[in-house]
Every structure is written in structure tokens, then in C-alpha cells.
């Protein structure tokens, strides 16, 4: 059989073995036997070919998965955060740049529109919300909304609402990315308009200190759920060398990993908004309520925002570089006789 035909008949199967591993022992054993047969054939007829090395690498990975030390199961969560999620971000870094660029474009559009006509603010945020905020400002309590209600109920409501919204933003990506585009558009206008309102009232930087205490995480999750939605769409629309079905499976798996990674961040953002943001807001009102010193708030804000940028945009490059430098060699036994 010619090498090109051999590759054509088996490439899709090899790609599935490489990118869609299974935890089912029977299927693992079946895959291992199949890949060994292919490896033996390739070694016999194409010993110097790159495809032989590729098959050997897949066989080595399957071998290691079957015979790995069982203690590694307990470090699965650590592997997810240290390697798997950063590699998802690295492999889809262009989607991240694209989504962030769109988001900032829409934020800028909202800011420009607000400066051209202040009615745009009330039109987008609703007259009721703008009037409530202006009333709080006139009372000397511009961020009083963060002190309203029971903290635990506020935490639960915010957390569940954000999970629902971000999940909708993610799943809407299946409609060729149009749904995710809509949400990124809407979120960008919302943030730009909301922030503009406070700058117009002379409370711009104070609002940044208060709102971005939790917003640094929450708004990052907005953007990243959009990234997950676009990854889903990319798998359907741009399959590359894969079949459309296999491409969708691979991208869906990556997008789900990203959404799982956002879950603890969504919980943390809701906790900060419910229990900590109001302490920061107390630093800028006319009461003597307990508050966080402005300098400490600035450190926390910069630290949280910096951590998000580092983990999702910088750290993935370090992981990818390490993966490339320390890619395990093929299992020696598989390349001999």
C-alpha cells in the first residue's frame, strides 16, 4: 500500500486517538492494539517516514496512559490548572485576542456615544437605574447599591445569575458564533456606558476602585465566556485538516475546559461583590462605616487583574514552551523489533 493511501485511510483514527483520549479501559486496550498494528506496518514499509514517528508517539501516549501510576489520579485537578487549561488558552490564543479586541471596540463605541449624547446612557442603562444612581450621588452615597440587602442572599443571586448569563454566552456560540458576538457586543456597550456615567459625574476613578474590585474578575469572565463560545464556533466553521465532526469534538472539549475553569472565578467575583466591594465603597461616602483603605484596595485590584492577565494570557506561553522542550521521547520498546 502506498504511504499516502495508508495515511488517508487511518489519519482520522490517529487524530482521534491523539486528541480525544478515553478513560474506558476496554477502549484503551482496543486502541493500543490497533495503533500497535499500524505502527508495525509503518515500521515495515515506511521505517524512515514522519508518519511512523507520529504513530509511535500516539502509541507511546496510549501506553503511558494505560500503565501510569494510579496516584496520578489524585493530581488530576492540579494537572488541569497547571497544564490543561493553560494549553487550551495557548492553542486558542488568537480567539482570545479576537474576542478581547471586539470587546474593547464596543466599550470604546459606548464611551464615544455617551460623550456625544448623554441620553445614550439613560437609554442603554434605563432611566430608573440612572435616576437611582444620581439620587445616591446627591445623598453623598454614590455606591450605596452595594450595601443593600442581605449579603448571603446577594452572593447567591449574583453567583447564579452570572453563571446563567456566562453559560448562555458560551452556548450561543454554537450558532456560528453569532450569539457570542451579540453578548460581547452587549457586554462591551454595558461596561462602556456604565463607566462613562460615573466619569461624567466626577466619580470616574472612585468608581474604578469600587466596581473593579469585583469587576476585574467578573468582566474577565465575560470576555472568556465569549472566547469559549467562539472556540465552539471555530470547531464547526474551520475544521482544518480534521473532519467537521472531529473538529467540533476537539473544540467543544476545549471550550468546556475553559468554562469549567471560570466556575471558581465566578464564585469568587460574587463573593467579593457581596462581602468586600461595599467596604471599598465606604471609603468614598459621607458615613463613618468600616472601610478598606484606598491604598489597600488599589493593591488588591491590581493584584486580581494582574493575576487574571498572567494566568490566561502569559502563563500559557510558559507552559507551551515547557511542553515543547520536555516532550517525552517515544517508549523505546515500541520502536524496537
Amino acid at each position: 500500500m502506498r504511504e499516502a493511501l495508508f495515511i488517508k485511510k487511518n489519519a482520522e483514527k490517529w487524530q482521534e486517538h491523539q486528541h480525544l483520549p478515553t478513560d474506558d479501559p476496554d477502549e484503551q486496550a482496543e486502541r493500543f492494539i490497533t495503533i500497535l498494528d499500524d505502527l508495525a506496518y509503518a515500521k515495515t514499509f515506511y521505517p524512515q517516514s514522519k508518519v511512523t514517528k507520529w504513530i509511535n508517539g500516539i502509541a507511546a501516549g496510549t501506553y503511558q496512559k494505560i500503565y501510569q501510576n494510579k496516584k496520578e489520579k489524585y493530581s488530576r485537578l492540579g494537572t488541569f490548572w497547571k497544564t490543561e487549561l493553560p494549553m487550551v488558552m495557548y492553542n486558542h490564543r488568537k480567539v482570545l485576542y479576537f474576542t478581547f479586541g471586539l470587546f474593547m471596540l464596543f466599550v470604546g463605541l459606548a464611551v464615544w456615544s455617551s460623550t456625544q449624547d448623554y441620553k445614550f446612557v439613560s437609554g442603554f442603562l434605563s432611566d430608573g437605574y440612572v435616576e437611582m444612581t444620581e439620587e445616591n450621588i446627591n445623598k453623598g452615597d454614590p455606591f450605596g447599591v452595594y450595601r443593600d440587602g442581605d449579603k448571603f442572599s446577594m452572593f447567591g443571586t449574583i453567583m447564579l445569575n452570572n453563571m446563567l448569563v456566562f453559560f448562555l454566552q458560551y452556548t450561543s456560540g454554537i450558532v456560528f458564533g453569532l450569539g457570542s458576538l451579540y453578548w460581547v457586543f452587549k457586554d462591551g456597550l454595558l461596561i462602556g456606558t456604565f463607566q462613562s456615567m460615573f466619569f461624567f459625574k466626577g466619580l470616574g476613578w472612585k468608581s474604578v476602585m469600587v466596581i473593579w474590585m469585583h469587576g476585574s474578575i467578573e468582566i474577565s469572565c465575560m470576555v472568556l465566556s465569549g472566547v469559549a463560545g467562539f472556540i465552539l464556533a471555530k470547531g464547526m466553521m474551520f475544521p482544518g485538516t480534521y473532519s467537521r465532526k472531529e473538529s467540533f469534538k476537539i473544540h467543544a472539549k476545549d471550550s468546556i475546559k475553559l468554562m469549567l475553569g471560570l466556575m471558581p472565578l465566578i464564585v469568587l467575583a460574587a463573593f467579593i461583590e457581596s462581602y468586600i466591594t461595599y467596604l471599598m465603597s465606604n471609603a468614598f461616602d459621607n458615613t463613618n462605616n468600616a472601610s478598606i483603605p484606598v491604598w489597600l484596595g488599589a493593591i488588591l485590584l491590581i493584584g486580581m487583574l494582574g493575576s487574571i492577565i498572567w494566568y490566561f494570557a502569559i502563563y500559557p506561553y510558559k507552559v507551551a514552551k515547557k511542553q515543547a522542550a520536555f516532550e517525552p521521547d517515544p517508549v523505546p520498546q515500541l520502536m524496537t523489533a
Side-chain angles (χ1 to χ4, degrees), residues 182-194:
Y182 163 77
W183 281 100
V184 172
F185 171 74
K186 182 179 179 181
D187 291 340
L189 291 185
L190 175 64
I191 299 304
T193 306
F194 185 75

Side-chain angles (χ1 to χ4, degrees), residues 34-64:
T34 302
I35 203 70
L36 281 182
D37 287 342
D38 291 342
L39 179 62
Y41 187 91
K43 274 180 55 59
T44 302
F45 295 100
Y46 328 112
Q48 304 303 320
S49 173
K50 290 183 179 179
V51 73
T52 303
K53 295 180 181 179
W54 179 28
I55 300 171
N56 181 76
I58 298 172
T62 306
Y63 175 91
Q64 291 168 351

Side-chain angles (χ1 to χ4, degrees), residues 129 141-148 151 154-155 158 162 194 198 206-218 267-285 289-294 297 300-301 304:
Y129 185 84
D141 190 14
F143 310 107
V145 66
Y146 294 107
R147 282 188 290 280
D148 294 342
K151 298 302 177 188
M154 184 179 179
F155 165 68
I158 293 171
N162 285 347
F194 185 75
F198 284 99
K206 291 180 181 179
S207 70
V208 169
M209 289 294 299
V210 175
I211 297 166
W212 284 75
M213 182 63 65
H214 62 273
S216 58
I217 300 175
E218 188 176 289
V267 175
L268 178 59
F271 177 84
I272 293 173
E273 184 172 358
S274 304
Y275 291 96
I276 300 177
T277 296
Y278 86 97
L279 291 174
M280 190 70 247
S281 69
N282 289 343
F284 301 111
D285 63 18
N289 295 324
S291 65
I292 295 177
V294 175
L300 291 174
L301 172 58
M304 287 186 290

Side-chain angles (χ1 to χ4, degrees), residues 21-240:
T22 177
D23 292 322
D24 180 28
D26 292 334
E27 188 174 350
Q28 284 181 351
E30 183 180 345
R31 286 186 175 190
F32 189 53
I33 293 171
T34 302
I35 203 70
L36 281 182
D37 287 342
D38 291 342
L39 179 62
Y41 187 91
K43 274 180 55 59
T44 302
F45 295 100
Y46 328 112
Q48 304 303 320
S49 173
K50 290 183 179 179
V51 73
T52 303
K53 295 180 181 179
W54 179 28
I55 300 171
N56 181 76
I58 298 172
T62 306
Y63 175 91
Q64 291 168 351
K65 187 169 182 62
I66 293 174
Y67 296 103
Q68 64 185 346
N69 191 315
K70 292 185 181 298
K71 289 190 294 185
E72 290 185 6
K73 293 181 179 179
Y74 298 102
S75 65
R76 182 68 177 79
L77 190 61
T79 301
F80 175 81
W81 290 105
K82 286 180 62 178
T83 305
E84 290 187 36
L85 183 54
M87 284 304 298
V88 167
M89 296 309 302
Y90 178 79
N91 291 335
H92 301 286
R93 58 195 181 280
K94 292 182 180 179
V95 181
L96 172 63
Y97 304 151
F98 170 75
T99 308
F100 180 73
L102 276 180
F103 179 77
M104 293 306 299
L105 174 65
F106 297 140
V107 169
L109 178 62
V111 172
W112 180 82
S113 299
S114 300
T115 58
Q116 297 302 304
D117 186 355
Y118 186 71
K119 291 181 179 179
F120 179 83
V121 174
S122 58
F124 191 83
L125 296 178
S126 82
D127 291 331
Y129 185 84
V130 173
E131 289 173 4
M132 179 193 71
T133 303
E134 290 179 345
E135 184 179 340
N136 285 338
I137 292 173
N138 293 333
K139 291 190 302 185
D141 190 14
F143 310 107
V145 66
Y146 294 107
R147 282 188 290 280
D148 294 342
D150 175 68
K151 298 302 177 188
F152 183 76
S153 298
M154 184 179 179
F155 165 68
T157 300
I158 293 171
M159 179 184 67
L160 292 175
N161 178 72
N162 285 347
M163 283 186 176
L164 175 61
V165 170
F166 296 152
F167 179 76
L168 287 174
Q169 182 165 328
Y170 160 57
T171 54
S172 63
I174 201 169
V175 190
F176 305 105
L178 295 177
S180 293
L181 177 61
Y182 163 77
W183 281 100
V184 172
F185 171 74
K186 182 179 179 181
D187 291 340
L189 291 185
L190 175 64
I191 299 304
T193 306
F194 185 75
Q195 200 64 73
S196 295
M197 178 179 63
F198 284 99
F199 272 95
F200 290 148
K201 299 297 180 180
L203 296 167
W205 293 111
K206 291 180 181 179
S207 70
V208 169
M209 289 294 299
V210 175
I211 297 166
W212 284 75
M213 182 63 65
H214 62 273
S216 58
I217 300 175
E218 188 176 289
I219 296 169
S220 296
C221 289
M222 280 183 185
V223 176
L224 290 168
S225 59
V227 172
F230 284 127
I231 289 174
L232 202 61
K234 179 185 173 186
M236 294 188 300
M237 299 172 66
F238 306 104

